[in-house]
Amino acid sequence: MSRPDIDPTLPLMLGYLCEPPLHSQAATEKLKILLKAFARREGYALGTVYVEHLPTAPAAFEALLEAIRRYEVDAVVVPTKTHLEPLGEPSKMQRLTRETNARVLVAESL
């Protein structure tokens, strides 16, 4: 996962968010920028932010799990807990922590 905008001296953090059906692309991009700033403040380099779209769910979550394993990522950031624990759905947070060693950081101040 080598990208020119990622500082290789910092540990890698991945992001995850669920895009609501009526959410604009601009709003999603704003969340990605805020997640990147959060990662930087916490001493990480933010890699890919996996965006879940309802029509293809849970494809982004499955890709996130695979990337965590492949790149031995130790942290994932989400804007709020509801991105991993939506109402009426089994907890992705539990699955992520059960199947990987990654910590989940919640940037609730977003």
Side-chain angles (χ1 to χ4, degrees):
M1 186 173 280
S2 178
R3 290 185 1 204
D5 62 329
I6 295 180
D7 183 343
T9 65
L10 297 175
L12 181 64
M13 172 186 279
L14 299 177
Y16 178 81
L17 59 95
C18 289
E19 186 174 74
L22 302 176
H23 210 243
S24 71
Q25 182 65 29
T28 298
E29 290 306 313
K30 183 178 178 182
L31 278 177
K32 287 180 180 181
I33 290 167
L34 293 172
L35 290 178
K36 186 173 183 174
F38 176 86
R40 195 174 312 128
R41 281 193 308 272
E42 295 295 316
Y44 287 90
L46 184 66
T48 301
V49 175
Y50 293 85
V51 180
E52 197 73 74
H53 302 280
L54 289 179
T56 59
F61 183 72
E62 296 298 333
L64 171 68
L65 292 177
E66 178 60 31
I68 291 169
R69 293 181 194 111
R70 183 182 316 127
Y71 300 108
E72 299 178 1
V73 173
D74 69 349
V76 173
V77 63
V78 294
T80 65
K81 279 186 173 183
T82 59
H83 287 265
L84 283 174
E85 298 179 345
L87 297 175
E89 211 178 286
S91 175
K92 292 176 186 173
M93 177 96 73
Q94 289 176 352
R95 183 171 171 213
L96 193 150
T97 56
R98 183 180 65 240
E99 294 182 18
T100 73
N101 291 325
R103 295 181 312 134
V104 176
L105 298 173
V106 180
E108 292 179 310
S109 62
L110 301 177

